[in-house]
Amino acid sequence: MQSPLREFPQALEGQSLRVLVWDQDLVDMWCLDDDGERVPYRGKGSSWHFHADLELTAITQGDGLIYVGDHIGRFTAPDCILIGKDVPHVWKSDGPMTGVSLQFQLGATAGLGSLPEFAHLDRLWSRSGFGLRWQGQTSVELREQVMKMEPLQTMQ
C-alpha cells in the first residue's frame, strides 16, 4: 500500500475552525468563509491521506467503506465520524456522497483546545486516534448540530 498523502488544508484568514462541504465527492469541495460563502477547495478525502487537524464528519447522503488507520468499516448516512490528528484515512463511497466536515486544532493556547468547554474532553480526543463513529439518534442529533455550521440556504 502506498504511503498516505499529507493534506495541508489552508485555513481561511482569521479562522480556527474549517468547515468543508461537498455534494458529490471528497475532491470537489467548498470551504466556508466567515460570511458562510463557499470557497472552492480541492480535497483528498478519496485518497489515503492524513492531516494535523482533527476531523468531525457528518455524512448526509451516501454510504461506502472508510479506512481509518488499520481499521476498515462501513459508513452510511447519517453517521458521524471523528478522526484524530495525523491518523491516515480514506473514504470509498459506493456512489454520490454529501456531507460536512469540521477540521480543527486542539492547541492548549490557540484553537479550540483553549476554550474552557473543551477542557474536560481529553479522553474523547485521545480515543479519536482510533476513529469514533456515532450512529442512530446520537448521530442524528450530532449531525443536526454540525449542519448548523453551513447556512440554511445551501443545505439540502
Side-chain angles (χ1 to χ4, degrees), residues 51-126:
H51 37 75
D53 296 335
L54 281 89
E55 179 176 275
L56 176 61
T57 298
I59 304 299
T60 57
Q61 178 185 341
D63 58 359
L65 290 175
I66 183 170
Y67 299 68
V68 179
D70 63 357
H71 174 77
I72 301 171
R74 293 219 44 96
F75 69 86
T76 188
D79 286 356
C80 288
I81 298 174
L82 177 65
I83 300 172
K85 66 178 188 159
D86 296 322
V87 175
H89 59 284
V90 62
W91 303 84
K92 296 295 183 183
S93 175
D94 293 338
M97 179 175 138
T98 65
V100 175
S101 286
L102 309 178
Q103 293 181 336
F104 54 95
Q105 295 280 325
L106 282 179
T109 58
L112 297 178
S114 65
L115 297 174
E117 294 85 354
F118 281 60
H120 302 288
L121 297 176
D122 288 340
R123 185 170 172 216
L124 176 68
W125 308 135
S126 175

Side-chain angles (χ1 to χ4, degrees), residues 35-47:
D35 296 323
E37 297 296 320
R38 292 179 171 199
V39 176
Y41 178 81
R42 192 86 172 151
K44 292 190 175 20
S46 58
S47 298

